[in-house]
Amino acid sequence: MLKGRVNEYTEQTKEGTQYRRRVLKDFSKLLDDEIEKIVLFMIEQQGLIAARLEDLGKRRARLQDIPLLQEITELREDYRSVGLDLVTLLKFVELNANAVRKILKKFDERLGYKFTDYYVRSRSNHPYSQLQQLLTTIIDLVISELLKKDPIIDLITATADKLTNSTNFLRFLGQHALIAQADSTAGTEDEQHVGEDKYHLMSLVLNFANTFLYMVNTYIVVPTADGYATSLGAAATACGAVIGSMAVAQVFSSVYFSAWSNRSYFRPLLFSSVVLLLGNVMYAMAFDLGSLTILLLGRVLCGMGSARAVNRRYISDCVPPRIRMQASAAFVSASALGMACGPALAGLLQTNFSLYGLTINQITLPGWIMAFGWLVYLIWLWISFQEPDLGPDAKDFYEGSSSSTSTRYMEQEKMEQGFTEHLLPSEQDEEDDNGDEEHNETLSSWTTTLRPASSVASAYTLLTPSVKVQLLIYFMLKYAMEILLAESSVVTGYYFGWDIGTVSVFLAVLGLSVLPVNAIVGTYISNMFEDRQILVASEMALLTGVMLSFKLTAEYTAAQYVCSAVLTFVSAEVVEGVNLSLLSRVMSARLSRGTYNGGLLSTEAGTVARVVADGTITAAGLLAGEGRLLNATLLPALLVCVASIAATLSTYNSLFY
């Protein structure tokens, strides 16, 4: 009925017989009436379930006095029946929520209005409304009366979590990886065990080890990069070029590694290990060769070995759905630990001696240590990695031509723009780009519609305004973090006289804060507030941290620097967690697989941010000198942060929570 009305409005507005204000008022009332029917029916069904639970409670009380095995069994089955009816009710709400979202999207598309924003803003309730509290109470009552290991409990919990978008630390952390997760409430048992034949534990551990070593390799040089640059006759601020040259290469390596992983996992990991081994040897030997060029080429070669795209793809394609979230969380944890261990390891390498004519000191040891680490990893990889069987149709799979792939994409397609409310999930959108496709379309048309992006251009066309804003936010936070980390040795040495050991401890402590911060946000804060509320608040906190970092007086104290740096870094971590959580939900399912996937896009946005930040440090050092480096690099970070906040507020009502 609503779809028919939208078609009528479209024709009437074209003919000039209907006015904008009248259309909005009429459609608002129609939609309100339909939603009211849904809510009233839901309340009625909740009442019936509550009455059944009350009756079952009385039977349970009688059985406590005279326990009869047969009646206890029957009572438990009745509780299971109530649980199944509860799941049906939850899915009813989800189905209708999806319908509301789709009709709002169609209304905006057909009439060119931004009605969805107004409707969400004027109708949305707080996440912990009375209706949700009633629903939560009934769920808890049903679960409490079932056996702890009863499968129906998992089904109820998964359905409720999916509907309310509730989260926990594991799920929150896993979303950082932007790896497609399984839907635990849908699909057959066979579908839930897809990938069991490809799964190999040691190969998965090798992927974790690869990302851990790479992150160590990235940050182990940060405390000593300025000293290395000066020892070769360059300015201390050339540390930006030393650190950033690795990120420059990663911009390109991420693409070819993502494409390579369509056909193999072992060969790109092998290539990555060899390239990183050679790159670190060049980095270490640049000191004795007295060549800044060799130093930079060594770091570029290390960036060419970035196989994080392969690590993500392996988890997405070869890890069974039942443990994919745990694997995603482990991937993010390995990255965080590597980020912390890099500077900490650099602080321990305080030595100076010669070996076979090679200088071994605190500047060159990071290169030699990492070269040895990649050599050990290379041997381990060669012995233990098991290449999964991609099958003869692997290429077709990644191009989206198989019917089974199309079916999964149909189930995974996420809402790209529109409406959500405290009980409205961001669920699959079964309409095509023009909003005209119906639920009974043939599978062949879905194969074309939901095929993965095959180029950068096609991937860009799938980016909605909400996704673009989230990528901008990701760029901003990575830029701010890179400015803070990369120039830390120069700034602290210039103002406070910190040595390498002190800088290393400071950076290691910052890195170790990643997991605790994500634990607090994922377990508590994200269940108390909407993601978009947390996002804006943390962006404001990050902006505050950047502003407090400026040197505005004659005296600049270590306390001011440390406090502002901690606020900036922790806020950036919160922003990153919420940002990637939102991005994993608003990004099209067409970007969940293939070469040009969501993980690659976010990696590229972050890597470009690091390149720009490191370039800013080097340029500011050459133009302004070390004395003005801090303010010169913080000003662009401040402007980018303000721009991201403005963009967030402009799309606030289209963000899913």
Side-chain angles (χ1 to χ4, degrees), residues 337-364:
L337 290 175
M339 181 180 179
C341 289
L345 186 59
L348 299 176
L349 305 178
Q350 305 297 311
T351 187
N352 191 355
F353 63 93
S354 295
L355 182 66
Y356 298 110
L358 298 174
T359 302
I360 308 297
N361 57 23
Q362 59 190 16
I363 292 177
T364 62

Side-chain angles (χ1 to χ4, degrees), residues 313-387:
R313 287 288 294 274
Y314 185 88
I315 296 172
S316 177
D317 298 342
C318 301
V319 176
R322 59 184 174 83
I323 59 170
R324 193 173 299 154
M325 181 60 76
Q326 291 91 323
S328 301
F331 171 80
V332 175
S333 300
S335 300
L337 290 175
M339 181 180 179
C341 289
L345 186 59
L348 299 176
L349 305 178
Q350 305 297 311
T351 187
N352 191 355
F353 63 93
S354 295
L355 182 66
Y356 298 110
L358 298 174
T359 302
I360 308 297
N361 57 23
Q362 59 190 16
I363 292 177
T364 62
L365 257 180
W368 293 119
I369 290 292
M370 292 312 305
F372 177 76
W374 286 112
L375 177 61
V376 173
Y377 177 82
L378 182 62
I379 297 171
W380 182 20
L381 179 75
W382 187 271
I383 296 173
S384 304
F385 191 86
Q386 180 177 306
E387 180 79 276

Side-chain angles (χ1 to χ4, degrees), residues 496-544:
F496 320 126
W498 286 6
D499 58 15
I500 292 176
T502 306
V503 176
S504 299
V505 171
F506 172 67
L507 294 178
V509 170
L510 287 181
L512 288 173
S513 69
V514 173
L515 292 180
V517 168
N518 280 302
I520 294 171
V521 175
T523 306
Y524 301 106
I525 298 179
S526 60
N527 283 322
M528 298 170 62
F529 303 97
E530 300 173 12
D531 280 356
R532 58 183 183 174
Q533 293 174 330
I534 302 173
L535 182 64
V536 173
S538 54
E539 283 182 286
M540 293 293 187
L542 197 157
L543 177 63
T544 303

Side-chain angles (χ1 to χ4, degrees), residues 384-431:
S384 304
F385 191 86
Q386 180 177 306
E387 180 79 276
D389 182 15
L390 298 179
D393 59 342
K395 185 175 183 294
D396 291 336
F397 174 81
Y398 290 110
E399 292 177 352
S401 61
S402 69
S403 61
S404 61
T405 303
S406 302
T407 302
R408 285 194 294 274
Y409 281 129
M410 289 169 62
E411 295 171 349
Q412 292 173 354
E413 180 71 2
K414 302 291 184 183
M415 170 174 62
E416 297 181 13
Q417 54 182 307
F419 169 73
T420 184
E421 203 255 338
H422 66 282
L423 283 176
L424 302 186
S426 55
E427 192 46 57
Q428 66 268 20
D429 187 356
E430 296 173 352
E431 299 174 313

Side-chain angles (χ1 to χ4, degrees), residues 473-493:
I473 294 171
Y474 194 68
F475 175 94
M476 177 273 295
L477 70 93
K478 287 298 182 183
Y479 181 88
M481 290 176 69
E482 188 70 10
I483 288 290
L484 170 64
L485 298 175
E487 70 178 13
S488 58
S489 58
V490 178
V491 171
T492 56

Side-chain angles (χ1 to χ4, degrees), residues 117-156:
D117 285 357
Y118 162 76
Y119 199 84
V120 172
R121 188 168 57 250
S122 60
R123 267 69 171 180
S124 289
N125 296 318
H126 192 276
Y128 291 98
S129 64
Q130 183 181 4
L131 189 61
Q132 184 170 349
Q133 289 178 2
L134 287 171
L135 186 62
T136 302
T137 301
I138 290 180
I139 292 172
D140 292 341
L141 280 172
V142 175
I143 290 177
S144 65
E145 298 299 336
L146 294 168
L147 291 175
K148 290 184 178 181
K149 295 184 179 181
D150 198 311
I152 191 65
I153 292 180
D154 294 333
L155 183 59
I156 293 172

